[in-house]
Amino acid sequence: KNEVEQSPQNLTAQEGEFITINCSYSVGISALHWLQQHPGGGIVSLFMLSSGKKKHGRLIATINIQEKHSSLHITASHPRDSAVYICAVREETSGSRLTFGEGTQLTVNP
Amino acid sequence: IAGITQAPTSQILAAGRRMTLRCTQDMRHNAMYWYRQDLGLGLRLIHYSNTAGTTGKGEVPDGYSVSRANTDDFPLTLASAVPSQTSVYFCASSDLTGKSNEQFFGPGTRLTVL
């Protein structure tokens, strides 16, 4: 079993829909990251969370430390949101190193 | 240079050949990382360095070596490439002195070993 599990693996939505991507982990963490990888391959960091909730534009990330679960929400989705979304955790014992989920492929159709 | 760069962008290599993937950052980050990304497996850490002069092994270090002679450069060497090393390789860096420890990724190197 992977230490970081994402669901769903693939998600197709219509433009305007509210989207949720989930991430569960099995280890103690000091932080959780959400990353975005566009079809061209580039990876950018969206959020770093250690508790609560963060919002940036139409993106919202939440984390529940007790339940070892995080969600990434996209409101009013747009075709340009189509990308792979990756959850990664920084384990309490691993210093700066991250452990990654396999990613969720999101496709938003116009 | 702005951010983090990798070279080459892509490479086709014969098995048994030696290859060095280059990574340079201009953000003065103390930590640097090498990952490989394979379909169905996500990103996996190969080697990392928390500061110039030190390196550490990640999840999949076998067949790879790294060096960190200075802050900016973190080359990854495949001493004798094998087909299972066909992958997309990403270099990343982060500032361990900061609060966020956000990792910044290079554009990747697509390597094919035949």
Side-chain angles (χ1 to χ4, degrees):
Chain A
K1 188 183 189 302
N2 291 338
E3 292 176 345
V4 182
E5 298 270 358
Q6 287 185 234
S7 63
Q9 285 188 321
N10 294 282
L11 181 57
T12 300
Q14 288 301 122
E15 184 172 356
E17 286 185 4
F18 180 84
I19 287 161
T20 296
I21 298 170
N22 296 299
C23 176
S24 297
Y25 53 91
S26 57
V27 294
I29 69 169
S30 56
L32 182 143
H33 297 249
W34 281 103
L35 307 154
Q36 180 190 56
Q37 184 172 25
H38 273 283
I43 301 172
V44 295
S45 179
L46 297 174
F47 295 103
M48 192 279 291
L49 295 161
S50 52
S51 65
K53 176 178 167 178
K54 285 190 176 178
K55 184 175 190 292
H56 182 68
R58 294 180 295 105
L59 301 178
I60 304 165
T62 63
I63 189 168
N64 185 317
I65 297 290
Q66 287 73 31
E67 294 186 5
K68 292 186 164 62
H69 181 269
S70 175
S71 293
L72 177 68
H73 305 286
I74 305 175
T75 62
S77 60
H78 190 276
R80 66 175 173 266
D81 297 325
S82 298
V84 175
Y85 292 84
I86 302 169
C87 172
V89 300
R90 180 153 36 107
E91 297 180 35
E92 288 171 331
T93 57
S94 71
S96 64
R97 290 164 283 159
L98 298 178
T99 303
F100 296 80
E102 290 181 25
T104 295
Q105 173 69 62
L106 171 65
T107 303
V108 182
N109 294 317
Chain B
I1 297 176
I4 185 163
T5 60
Q6 293 183 235
T9 302
S10 65
Q11 182 76 44
I12 299 173
L13 190 65
R17 297 296 296 266
R18 180 184 179 89
M19 174 75 192
T20 295
L21 308 185
R22 299 184 299 278
C23 175
T24 299
Q25 53 104 358
D26 65 355
M27 297 175 282
R28 308 302 294 173
H29 286 168
N30 42 15
M32 297 187 75
Y33 315 85
W34 273 107
Y35 299 98
R36 58 178 290 173
Q37 186 178 38
D38 302 288
L39 200 62
L41 294 174
L43 286 154
R44 291 180 294 167
L45 182 66
I46 304 170
H47 285 286
Y48 67 97
S49 168
N50 284 338
T51 189
T54 69
T55 62
K57 292 182 180 180
E59 185 184 350
V60 288
D62 294 343
Y64 305 95
S65 63
V66 291
S67 61
R68 187 89 184 278
N70 57 60
T71 298
D72 298 346
D73 301 298
F74 191 43
L76 176 74
T77 297
L78 289 66
S80 179
V82 295
S84 62
Q85 292 177 311
T86 293
S87 187
V88 181
Y89 291 86
F90 287 96
C91 179
S93 70
S94 69
D95 175 12
L96 295 183
T97 62
K99 210 175 170 185
S100 77
N101 196 31
E102 176 184 355
Q103 291 196 11
F104 294 82
F105 287 80
T109 293
R110 184 173 294 276
L111 181 67
T112 303
V113 182
L114 301 176

